[in-house]
Amino acid sequence: MSIIQDKEFANISVDELLIPSEKVAHVQLNNPLEHALLVLVKSGYSAVPVLDASYKFVGIIGKTAILNQILGMERFEIEKLSEMRVKEVMSSDIPTLTREHSLLDGLNAVIDHAFVCLVDQDGYFDGILTRRAILKQLKKDIYMNSYKK
Ligand code: 2BA
């Protein structure tokens, strides 16, 4: 049986590997780009979730998108960092999962994204599932499977 058809991986819900919202660096829709860049540089992450004022998930924003946005013909137009808001630059067409999804759904999601955001049925942000967490679990299951043989 292949490892991803194995019960352990397919039946674990993403809930078990979730990084909870309180531990996730995030920014808000109306924050100036300057604040978002500060959060990204200070945290070391290349992209973080964007939430609205009621803590609903609305998209993600990354360093590259911000730098592209302020790049003029000959220089970085630094003044734009205080003039522009996160909502003008963020990506909003981003897939999400809920706590009930399986790790297999999580594995599919992190093929194209470094992390996937988890929301509840009303769209409130629950946390993230990272590529690292999925790969660690996959590695664990591969080892356990090889001992079974
Ligand atoms: P990246 O920032 O591009 O990070 C890629 C990988 O580099 C991370 O993979 C992690 O293994 C490592 N890394 C980067 N910054 C780190 C830091 N400050 N501390 C420890 N390790 C760090 P993953 O752990 O799979 O994370 C995938 C993506 O999820 C990250 O991509 C970032 O965009 C987001 N992320 C992870 N943890 C986060 C958190 N607590 N808050 C906000 N975003 C987070």
Side-chain angles (χ1 to χ4, degrees):
M1 194 193 313
S2 98
I3 195 83
I4 55 172
Q5 286 170 320
D6 189 296
K7 268 190 172 169
E8 276 140 43
F9 198 84
N11 287 351
I12 294 174
S13 78
V14 292
D15 191 32
E16 294 177 48
L17 298 186
L18 164 91
I19 298 178
S21 55
E22 60 273 17
K23 291 192 176 161
V24 178
H26 72 273
V27 296
Q28 293 199 319
L29 272 178
N30 283 321
N31 288 150
L33 286 190
E34 191 171 29
H35 175 77
L37 194 55
L38 206 70
V39 169
L40 287 161
V41 171
K42 283 271 185 192
S43 67
Y45 296 120
S46 48
V48 294
V50 180
L51 309 183
D52 72 9
S54 63
Y55 290 86
K56 285 189 176 173
F57 172 75
V58 285
I60 64 166
I61 190 162
K63 284 175 195 154
T64 310
I66 296 177
L67 293 177
N68 267 327
Q69 192 65 45
I70 66 166
L71 183 59
M73 293 297 277
E74 289 180 355
R75 65 175 187 97
F76 283 108
E77 295 166 353
I78 302 292
E79 60 282 3
K80 282 191 179 167
L81 286 176
S82 53
E83 292 163 6
M84 296 183 73
R85 309 261 149 193
V86 164
K87 61 184 169 198
E88 297 172 72
V89 178
M90 68 177 201
S91 308
S92 46
D93 188 18
I94 301 292
T96 56
L97 295 177
T98 65
R99 284 172 182 265
E100 290 73 37
H101 278 98
S102 73
L103 269 198
L104 208 47
D105 299 314
L107 179 61
N108 276 324
V110 300
I111 289 172
D112 290 327
H113 303 273
F115 67 99
V116 59
C117 291
L118 271 76
V119 296
D120 71 9
Q121 70 270 28
D122 299 316
Y124 289 102
F125 180 61
D126 264 346
I128 60 173
L129 178 69
T130 63
R131 211 174 253 170
R132 180 169 190 267
I134 295 260
L135 288 175
K136 270 178 75 179
Q137 184 63 42
L138 197 53
K139 181 181 153 194
K140 204 164 127 190
D141 285 12
I142 289 169
Y143 276 122
M144 278 179 21
N145 233 295
S146 64
Y147 275 119
K148 278 187 204 160
K149 288 178 185 159

